[in-house]
Amino acid sequence: MTKLVDWIAVSDNEQPFIHFEDSLNDDQVVSGYVPVKSTLDVLSYLKEATATHASQGRAVICYGSYGSGKSRLCSVLARLFRDGFDCPALKPVWNKLTARGEGKRLKSLRQTMVPGGHGWRPWLVVTAYAGGSGGTFSTCLIRALFQAVERAGLDKSVLGTTIYQAAGQLLREMADKGAEYHPAPDSRYATVEQLKRGLEDEHCDEALDTFREFHREKMLGQSFDERMSLFVGVSLEAQDVFNTVSENIQQQGYEGIVVIWDEFGFFIEELLTGSQKGNRSLGQEAMSLQNFIEQTCSTASIGRKVLFLGFTHVGLSEYGGRQGLGDADEERLSTVSDRFRDPSIAVTLSVTENEGYHLLAGMIHRTEAGQQLFAKVKLRMEPDEK
């Protein structure tokens, strides 16, 4: 006797929460994602942002409260950009959207991202979480880009020459010519080799600042940054590195770069707290973020595509009020917020979704026998063409 369980199965291994970067290759996390109404807003944004011309640029803030599914959505987006629409882990997600009557929306997005029905061109997926492993905004992005290049198996030559690599190379040259390195008593870098590793492998701000001081001492007060600004081809900031990589990887079959930063709001909070304590510069980092959006995520350069999706708990400018910033700093943060797509995307749950019924529905899926059965039922229900 046929039983309901032969046609329908219920997942019983769903996790209550996930860590975005740890779940990039977890098919269960991706396939278990249950789309909500606000998911459609994100898909609409992707259709606009991945087109050749994006009227509002390619940077957006997606904000929502705890439990709204932002981290799972990050995992779904990462797999889409990396593996394409035909990724097996994404098929259950597409089926859920189609069941909601959103098949046309998916088809439209696919036509934009795969124009003319040609083969899928992957995007280089750059991921970051919360504080981004420490450091300034520019440092966090450059470090995350290095990791993405390694993860994708690309040759490091696509990175060009960054300020960290230039510093490491100059450090070797100075040491070979007899310049002696004497670390400060509290320095993490006791030897030239340790400092070189901090620059070239770790892309660490502390290592770069240590070398800047070493360079100033040995070069009679000359600034390392001013010296590097005279050289063509050295990328000093994140926007320079990303622009170089986005152009270089096109020759290797990539469509562009997408930055997905989960818990980006935590980074903003850390920045504002550090600024109030006097150990971080809100002005410099806000300008760095602004330059990255304007110079890298705009559509000014035809053929270069870099997307930035920052996931937070509230709108970007609201963090200023929460931290009790002064008027000048609040205005500075608001100016940066205005560079993102307006409006931001609210990742929220509708009244019925808040009740959790959509999660229960998402755990129910048809077995192979069930898919065949319902396909036959659908055929019988369709009217005959005359």
Side-chain angles (χ1 to χ4, degrees):
M1 181 178 65
T2 302
K3 300 179 180 179
L4 186 60
V5 71
D6 297 326
W7 297 333
I8 296 176
V10 179
S11 302
D12 59 359
N13 53 3
E14 295 297 322
Q15 304 174 37
F17 60 87
I18 65 164
H19 185 286
F20 165 48
E21 291 189 300
D22 292 342
S23 63
L24 290 177
N25 296 308
D26 192 330
D27 289 351
Q28 178 183 319
V29 169
V30 175
S31 62
Y33 175 70
V34 180
V36 295
K37 186 177 182 296
S38 55
T39 305
L40 306 178
D41 297 328
V42 176
L43 296 182
S44 296
Y45 160 74
L46 293 184
K47 183 180 185 303
E48 173 191 319
T50 57
T52 302
H53 300 283
S55 59
Q56 295 196 63
R58 308 186 197 275
V60 68
I61 294 295
C62 304
Y63 66 93
S65 60
Y66 289 100
S68 55
K70 297 188 301 298
S71 295
R72 288 180 181 271
L73 177 57
C74 287
S75 299
V76 169
L77 296 177
R79 290 296 287 274
L80 168 60
F81 278 100
R82 190 188 73 182
D83 299 336
F85 280 89
D86 296 328
C87 170
L90 289 171
K91 185 177 179 181
V93 181
W94 305 151
N95 289 342
K96 293 166 191 172
L97 282 168
T98 301
R100 292 183 59 147
E102 299 297 338
K104 289 184 179 180
R105 191 188 297 260
L106 277 176
K107 183 178 180 181
S108 179
L109 175 60
R110 183 170 191 143
Q111 288 174 340
T112 299
M113 298 186 73
V114 193
H118 300 299
W120 174 256
R121 285 171 59 87
W123 294 63
L124 182 64
V125 179
V126 179
T127 63
Y129 180 80
S133 300
T136 64
F137 173 77
S138 185
T139 299
C140 290
L141 277 185
I142 292 175
R143 186 186 298 121
L145 181 59
F146 267 75
Q147 294 170 347
V149 167
E150 291 180 347
R151 195 163 53 233
L154 294 169
D155 191 280
K156 289 186 178 181
S157 62
V158 301
L159 293 160
T161 302
T162 70
I163 189 171
Y164 299 95
Q165 293 167 313
Q169 180 178 343
L170 186 54
L171 173 63
R172 289 196 302 272
E173 293 175 0
M174 293 173 67
D176 290 343
K177 292 179 180 180
E180 295 184 4
Y181 170 65
H182 300 289
D186 58 346
S187 176
R188 291 173 51 195
Y189 308 103
T191 66
V192 169
E193 282 303 312
Q194 289 180 354
L195 181 56
K196 174 175 166 292
R197 187 161 54 249
L199 291 166
E200 297 180 337
D201 297 338
E202 299 173 4
H203 318 110
C204 180
D205 284 337
E206 184 179 344
L208 187 58
D209 288 339
T210 299
F211 176 74
R212 283 174 172 139
E213 186 59 35
F214 172 68
H215 182 276
R216 185 180 295 108
E217 175 189 337
K218 299 300 179 182
M219 302 304 291
L220 304 178
Q222 182 186 29
S223 166
F224 167 67
D225 292 76
E226 290 180 1
R227 179 176 181 177
M228 287 298 99
S229 67
L230 302 176
F231 289 84
V232 176
V234 177
S235 300
L236 303 182
E237 295 288 340
Q239 63 267 19
D240 305 319
V241 185
F242 272 75
N243 290 345
T244 296
V245 174
S246 64
E247 293 174 1
N248 289 341
I249 63 176
Q250 288 186 35
Q251 303 170 13
Q252 302 191 36
Y254 281 79
E255 182 69 16
I257 302 174
V258 57
V259 180
I260 304 176
W261 196 323
D262 192 18
E263 296 291 350
F264 182 58
F266 181 83
F267 174 86
I268 298 298
E269 290 174 340
E270 289 287 289
L271 168 60
L272 299 182
T273 300
S275 175
Q276 291 174 321
K277 291 180 177 179
N279 53 32
R280 294 183 72 165
S281 172
L282 175 59
Q284 290 181 0
E285 293 202 49
M287 184 56 67
S288 179
L289 174 55
Q290 182 174 325
N291 288 339
F292 180 79
I293 297 172
E294 292 178 345
Q295 299 175 26
T296 300
C297 301
S298 70
T299 58
S301 179
I302 302 299
R304 186 176 66 215
K305 296 179 181 179
V306 179
L307 275 65
F308 181 96
L309 293 93
F311 287 78
T312 66
H313 294 293
V314 295
L316 204 59
S317 59
E318 292 182 48
Y319 284 99
R322 288 185 167 197
Q323 294 287 116
L325 297 182
D327 292 342
D329 285 340
E330 275 211 62
E331 185 175 346
R332 183 174 289 114
L333 189 61
S334 179
T335 299
V336 174
S337 177
D338 291 342
R339 297 301 185 271
F340 286 88
R341 175 187 184 270
D342 184 27
S344 300
I345 298 176
V347 182
T348 58
L349 303 179
S350 66
V351 175
T352 55
E353 289 168 344
N354 265 319
E355 297 295 334
Y357 295 120
H358 73 294
L359 295 176
L360 295 175
M363 295 173 65
I364 300 173
H365 60 273
R366 297 169 184 172
T367 64
E368 185 175 345
Q371 292 176 5
Q372 296 174 358
L373 172 68
F374 285 102
K376 294 177 181 178
V377 171
K378 182 179 179 181
L379 287 174
R380 287 199 299 268
M381 293 178 64
E382 290 178 350
D384 295 333
E385 294 184 4
K386 295 184 179 180

